Amino acid sequence: MQKLLISGGRRLEGEIAISGAKNAALPILCAALLSAEPLVLSNVPQLNDIATMLGLLAQMGVKIERDGDKVTLDAKALDKPEAPYELVKTMRAAVLVLGPLVARMGKARVSLPGGCAIGARPVDQHIKGLTAMGAEIEVDHGYINARSARLKGVRIFTDMVTVTGTENLMMAACLANGETVIENAAREPEVVDLANCLNAMGAQISGAGTDVIRIRGVESLHGASYSVMPDRIETGTYLCAAAVTGGDVRLTGTSAHYLDVVIDKLIDAGCEVETERNAIRLKAPSRLKAVSLRTAPYPAFPTDMQAQFMALNTVAEGTAIIRETIFENRFMHAVELVRLGADIRIDGNTAIVTGVPRLQGATVMATDLRASASLIIAGLVAEGETLIDRIYHLDRGYEQIEEKLTALGAQVKRVS
């Protein structure tokens, strides 16, 4: 099993480019199922989750061509509307094929996603919404079996804010008969990016980015060319890495537009942040100040940046209170940070982090994607060598992370 070896204590400086957003690309790839014409996408990151999704779509009959960050998908000959457990168990986002398949093919058989290390993420809102739109759904032997002659437009109120639920129902509604209104919709930028792609394909969607999205169904969608938005979580991760090492970095191909709350926290920590139209520059002080935070759905502080800020706070001056309100089991990285010398106490969904003068390298284990990022950030500032085990999580969400960190002056290498 591969591991990451980091020799800490090096200041990050220089410039790197940010990749396309995984969490935008995955639903946009599924949007190809809605049309018999080709969808040409650019700025698609090369990640394990993307490869898994492309493999799933190919198994359904989608013709796929890939050239670097460009992917062409042709679902004209779509003939197998099924997502087997073998693929869904490795990536929960595979449930995003459910809505498009029912809308275009009139049927779908999709495995229920398994558990996740960071907590339960049920799909009941997906099923509730599709049932309201007229689909007949049975959950049998671990599979969601759905059928519908043609979905109908309805008003849907989700019991909780769900990103993939909003995306699934929005895609399904594109080909429904009449208008669908999704209330309590997720407002994340990735939802907006999907809506923009669907509109480029001929959909009629308004309100994306607010908590009420309206979709007027059309008979069919056509092909389109679309560029995936930059990855705001990757952007935030490298900003934290620069901050914790006292660095000076410029990130290109990205935007501060989706990162207001993260950048505000970095400024509170003592960093100077300059924003350009398609770039962000961060200059860090010699020592950071502790910053408290509370995760919540967008536009509040993102749960996907909580672990990185916990790592930042481990060496900041003062004490930070971190409250996690999205996932019930997302502090597993705290135990590993303590192995590096961090002072962290956990009380339910709250972590109290008191900064220490320095961390010390040790062997640690990644438990999920963002936990992996937090351990890298800590390893970059720790004295000596840090060895991170189970880094396969990283390859699900960070493209060429060793190359990018090395370009900024870090000493990082992958070892067996």
Side-chain angles (χ1 to χ4, degrees), residues 65-188:
E65 296 178 9
R66 175 145 207 180
D67 182 13
D69 74 343
K70 182 178 177 181
V71 178
T72 302
L73 304 104
D74 185 347
K76 182 179 181 179
L78 186 64
D79 62 356
K80 191 179 180 184
E82 181 174 339
Y85 174 72
E86 289 69 29
L87 290 171
V88 178
K89 71 177 181 181
T90 65
M91 183 188 62
R92 293 187 55 89
V95 76
L96 286 164
V97 302
L98 178 62
L101 288 175
V102 176
R104 180 166 165 230
M105 301 289 287
K107 59 182 178 179
R109 177 174 163 80
V110 178
S111 171
L112 284 168
C116 178
I118 60 174
R121 292 191 272 183
V123 296
D124 57 323
Q125 300 303 303
H126 307 235
I127 294 172
K128 172 188 170 183
L130 289 170
T131 300
M133 296 171 73
E136 296 178 8
I137 297 180
E138 290 181 355
V139 178
D140 185 38
H141 296 287
Y143 276 81
I144 304 168
N145 296 290
R147 287 187 172 275
S148 176
R150 186 181 182 188
L151 298 174
K152 63 179 187 294
V154 292
R155 183 176 294 270
I156 302 168
F157 184 90
T158 60
D159 298 334
M160 56 184 287
V161 177
T162 161
V163 175
T164 54
T166 299
E167 292 167 339
N168 230 340
L169 298 175
M170 186 166 67
M171 286 190 281
C174 287
L175 299 182
N177 183 25
E179 184 181 69
T180 300
V181 180
I182 305 173
E183 298 188 59
N184 199 30
R187 300 163 62 184
E188 271 71 5

Side-chain angles (χ1 to χ4, degrees), residues 327-378:
F327 295 120
E328 70 274 13
N329 198 21
R330 206 168 197 180
F331 282 152
M332 289 188 291
H333 47 278
V335 178
E336 302 301 311
L337 290 171
V338 169
R339 285 182 53 78
L340 299 174
D343 182 351
I344 304 171
R345 289 182 292 123
I346 303 296
D347 182 10
N349 70 339
T350 301
I352 300 97
V353 187
T354 301
V356 297
R358 65 187 62 83
L359 299 177
Q360 296 180 328
T363 299
V364 291
M365 182 178 69
T367 52
D368 62 72
L369 173 56
R370 306 308 172 186
S372 306
S374 77
L375 297 177
I376 287 177
I377 292 168

Side-chain angles (χ1 to χ4, degrees), residues 287-303:
R287 189 171 188 198
L288 300 165
K289 291 177 283 190
V291 287
S292 296
L293 58 94
R294 177 182 181 274
T295 67
Y298 188 87
F301 193 92
T303 182

Side-chain angles (χ1 to χ4, degrees), residues 207-414:
T210 75
D211 60 358
V212 180
I213 301 177
R214 297 179 182 275
I215 310 103
R216 183 165 294 280
V218 297
E219 288 295 325
S220 63
L221 297 184
H222 52 69
S225 295
Y226 191 77
S227 180
V228 176
M229 66 176 280
D231 196 316
R232 62 191 174 106
I233 304 302
E234 184 193 19
T235 301
T237 298
Y238 284 112
L239 290 175
C240 284
V244 82
T245 63
D248 180 352
V249 304
R250 183 171 181 266
L251 307 179
T252 62
T254 188
S255 171
H257 179 63
Y258 315 114
L259 281 168
D260 289 344
V261 66
V262 170
I263 288 173
D264 284 349
K265 290 295 181 183
L266 288 166
I267 292 171
D268 289 346
C271 299
E272 295 179 33
V273 182
E274 301 172 13
T275 61
E276 306 168 37
R277 183 181 175 189
N278 293 305
I280 304 172
R281 183 179 181 183
L282 180 141
K283 298 179 185 177
S286 56
R287 189 171 188 198
L288 300 165
K289 291 177 283 190
V291 287
S292 296
L293 58 94
R294 177 182 181 274
T295 67
Y298 188 87
F301 193 92
T303 182
D304 278 355
M305 284 300 304
Q306 176 258 107
Q308 297 90 315
F309 267 79
M310 184 180 289
L312 180 153
N313 278 315
T314 61
V315 292
E317 184 179 358
T319 298
I321 308 297
I322 297 176
R323 291 187 173 88
E324 173 61 56
T325 73
I326 306 296
F327 295 120
E328 70 274 13
N329 198 21
R330 206 168 197 180
F331 282 152
M332 289 188 291
H333 47 278
V335 178
E336 302 301 311
L337 290 171
V338 169
R339 285 182 53 78
L340 299 174
D343 182 351
I344 304 171
R345 289 182 292 123
I346 303 296
D347 182 10
N349 70 339
T350 301
I352 300 97
V353 187
T354 301
V356 297
R358 65 187 62 83
L359 299 177
Q360 296 180 328
T363 299
V364 291
M365 182 178 69
T367 52
D368 62 72
L369 173 56
R370 306 308 172 186
S372 306
S374 77
L375 297 177
I376 287 177
I377 292 168
L380 290 171
V381 76
E383 292 179 344
E385 292 188 335
T386 298
L387 185 66
I388 305 174
D389 200 355
R390 292 192 181 178
I391 61 163
Y392 57 83
H393 294 289
L394 274 175
D395 298 326
R396 292 183 46 231
Y398 291 95
E399 184 177 46
Q400 298 179 324
I401 191 164
E402 307 104 285
E403 291 88 342
K404 291 184 181 183
L405 286 171
T406 300
L408 295 175
Q411 189 167 330
V412 180
K413 63 179 179 180
R414 194 172 289 229

